[in-house]
Amino acid sequence: MFRQTSEFHDWFAEQRAAQHHRVTPAPLRELDGWSFEPGTGDIRHRSGRFFSIEGIAAETDNREVAAWSQPIIVQPESGILGILVKEFAGVPHFLLQVKMEPGNINILQLSPTVQATRSNFTRVHQGNAVPYLEHFLAPRTGRVVFDALQSEQGSWFLGKRNRNMIIEVDGDVPVRDGFCWLTLDQIGELLNVENLVNMDTRTVLSGLPDGWAVQGRTTGAEGRALHGTAELLSWFTEAKASHRLDRRRIPLAEVGGWAEADGAVVHESGRFFKVIGVDVEAQGREVSRWSQPMIAPVGRGVIAFLTRRIEGTLHLLVKARTEAGSFDVLEMGPTVQCTPANYEGLPAGSRPRFLDEVLSAPPGRILLDVVHSEEGGRFYHAENRYLAVEAPEDFPLDAGPDHIWMTPHQLGAMIRHANHVNVEARNLLACLRFLR
């Protein structure tokens, strides 16, 4: 435990100095254990486990582009993202881990107590056991604070979900090397540091129920909401019923506009993302050496909520958003979610709605502005700029059928349900909850 957050930074620097890791980009065809499948061109592991890179063709009436095809990660298994919480002197503390991921920009980031795929915790790779896993598997002795299946990035994963959990314990929990207890106030401070608190920690914390102290207050509802819960759920159901998502898995070799070049799979325009390979040497992981393909985005993304105070209560503009790999037709997402570089040179009608309002906002209307990494186990150097921007006073209350105003409390309540709120909105909401 740290009395001051500065003590954590000293400890984190010691962890960084003590751990030795190496991530080396490598041509896809030279990855140990991975190969392009004859005929389809799909990238698979020789064990038939872990994940594969395949192709998908999608058509929808809920995106700027109506039809496209792309590579996508197929990983049908669900992992566990779990955080232990325990009171010390009446103050809840959360057990986090300094964890290496090959795609992290700075290699080490703060992860949940447990961050493991099913292949990890069933030890398909014959590696070491996952620490603290017993607290998250039934039968368990702790109290369940939060437990829900949540989606991952639908733009790069096909129907991928992980179990997000917070478990409160009373008994003694030995602190292993590389783990630490932090209060919510301390985590809130660390969320303002670029590329430190990883995506998996943020998504789990987004499910923190009302009543937990954050920066001297609680996460409970405040003020009056523009819409009631029944109205919000009806809007969500209407959006899913009125939009369509038609998709089919196709061989990677048949994905139009994509081809193998310089040891990677890239789009002919140079935009969107690449599928690259890496060789990894890691200390403190279940396996110390491995190779794998990864998604490497081209350009930094923007994830933003437009905000507005309605009758004195903060509201967020939520969008019904469809992705090629969405588990359902759509989920509740942030107002803006895109990589701006992908739309450079296109007319205004082809750009994501409200993107320009977010990017052109004066500093006085920006409530939150921080850069965070995305999941470093599958994505290489994937960053997003997380923003909360106050809408101008003349911004309409009715922003169209695919948008609706919700309070942070209401959006947090939706996270209790599987596949209601996408991972980008969950991550952004986690940051907003810690605003001073």
Side-chain angles (χ1 to χ4, degrees):
M1 289 178 286
F2 307 102
R3 288 171 305 208
Q4 304 291 332
T5 309
S6 59
E7 296 178 13
F8 162 81
H9 288 293
D10 292 340
W11 175 81
F12 188 80
E14 293 172 0
Q15 293 290 317
R16 187 187 299 278
Q19 297 191 29
H20 303 283
H21 311 287
R22 184 165 64 183
V23 179
T24 307
L28 287 169
R29 292 191 180 272
E30 297 179 13
L31 296 181
D32 181 34
W34 297 84
S35 62
F36 287 83
E37 186 177 63
T40 67
D42 296 342
I43 304 172
R44 299 186 185 277
H45 192 262
R46 62 188 168 207
S47 68
R49 303 292 295 271
F50 303 113
F51 64 95
S52 59
I53 308 289
E54 304 179 23
I56 193 168
E59 294 185 25
T60 181
D61 58 355
N62 194 32
R63 290 295 296 268
E64 295 82 23
V65 176
W68 72 97
S69 59
Q70 64 169 85
I72 199 162
I73 300 172
V74 178
Q75 186 177 354
E77 64 181 25
S78 294
I80 292 178
L81 308 176
I83 296 179
L84 286 182
V85 57
K86 177 180 168 64
E87 283 195 4
F88 295 94
V91 178
H93 286 66
F94 295 73
L95 187 63
L96 300 184
Q97 175 188 9
V98 175
K99 189 176 182 70
M100 177 273 184
E101 293 288 0
N104 288 346
I105 286 177
N106 48 2
I107 302 294
L108 296 180
Q109 294 189 11
L110 270 179
S111 79
T113 317
V114 167
Q115 176 184 320
T117 65
R118 179 169 292 276
S119 293
N120 287 148
F121 63 76
T122 58
R123 302 173 74 176
V124 168
H125 45 49
Q126 299 180 345
N128 298 327
V130 177
Y132 304 107
L133 179 64
E134 67 274 11
H135 295 283
F136 300 94
L137 298 177
R140 66 182 69 87
T141 57
R143 181 178 71 88
V144 176
V145 176
F146 171 61
D147 188 358
L149 281 172
Q150 299 288 5
S151 60
E152 299 287 293
Q153 285 86 350
S155 55
W156 295 328
F157 279 117
L158 178 59
K160 176 73 169 66
R161 299 195 297 180
N162 277 321
R163 190 174 181 182
N164 288 208
M165 305 178 72
I166 300 175
I167 303 294
E168 186 174 23
V169 292
D170 296 321
D172 182 52
V173 179
V175 179
R176 293 171 173 258
D177 185 42
F179 290 79
C180 65
W181 291 106
L182 293 167
T183 67
L184 281 176
D185 283 0
Q186 290 169 333
I187 294 171
E189 289 184 55
L190 299 177
L191 278 167
N192 290 311
V193 180
E194 289 190 1
N195 296 315
L196 177 56
V197 180
N198 81 358
M199 185 205 83
D200 298 307
T201 300
R202 300 192 306 267
T203 180
V204 174
L205 290 175
S206 74
L208 195 66
D210 297 332
W212 291 77
V214 180
Q215 302 291 359
R217 59 180 177 84
T218 64
T219 59
E222 298 177 8
R224 182 178 177 181
L226 180 63
H227 304 287
T229 300
E231 189 175 356
L232 295 177
L233 289 172
S234 178
W235 166 82
F236 186 49
T237 303
E238 177 68 25
K240 287 197 290 185
S242 60
H243 286 299
R244 64 178 180 85
L245 172 62
D246 300 321
R247 65 186 176 202
R248 56 190 175 89
R249 287 161 69 171
I250 61 175
L252 183 60
E254 296 180 11
V255 177
W258 295 78
E260 190 178 352
D262 298 324
V265 175
V266 302
H267 192 263
E268 60 189 4
S269 68
R271 295 183 174 183
F272 309 119
F273 61 88
K274 303 176 182 179
V275 182
I276 68 168
V278 294
D279 293 324
V280 185
E281 297 179 25
Q283 180 182 346
R285 290 292 300 257
E286 294 84 6
V287 175
S288 60
R289 305 183 74 170
W290 74 92
S291 300
Q292 67 173 89
M294 302 194 82
I295 298 289
V298 178
R300 177 184 288 176
V302 169
I303 294 172
F305 274 127
L306 284 177
T307 74
R308 180 171 176 172
R309 290 203 170 269
I310 302 172
E311 296 187 13
T313 301
L314 181 68
H315 283 69
L316 314 172
L317 187 60
V318 173
K319 175 178 170 55
R321 183 170 182 84
T322 298
E323 300 284 0
S326 295
F327 192 85
D328 204 341
V329 174
L330 52 80
E331 292 182 298
M332 301 176 195
T335 317
V336 172
Q337 175 187 323
C338 70
T339 300
N342 291 338
Y343 299 89
E344 289 178 358
L346 297 180
S350 299
R351 291 169 62 81
R353 196 173 176 208
F354 304 126
L355 172 61
D356 294 327
E357 284 86 343
V358 166
L359 296 181
S360 63
R365 288 204 282 113
I366 297 176
L367 305 179
L368 172 74
D369 188 356
V370 64
V371 173
H372 283 304
S373 297
E374 301 312 303
E375 207 277 317
R378 297 290 178 265
F379 312 141
Y380 185 80
H381 290 187
E383 281 187 317
N384 279 302
R385 183 184 176 193
Y386 283 80
L387 288 157
V389 176
E390 288 183 327
E393 292 184 2
D394 59 350
F395 195 88
L397 285 180
D398 183 357
D402 291 329
H403 293 81
I404 198 166
W405 292 101
M406 295 185 189
T407 67
H409 164 70
Q410 289 176 320
L411 187 59
M414 296 294 175
I415 293 174
R416 307 285 183 276
H417 307 281
N419 302 117
H420 277 36
V421 183
N422 74 7
V423 67
E424 291 83 5
R426 298 196 309 271
N427 273 247
L428 183 49
L429 181 64
C431 296
L432 281 170
R433 286 181 131 179
F434 291 90
L435 280 178
R436 294 183 182 273

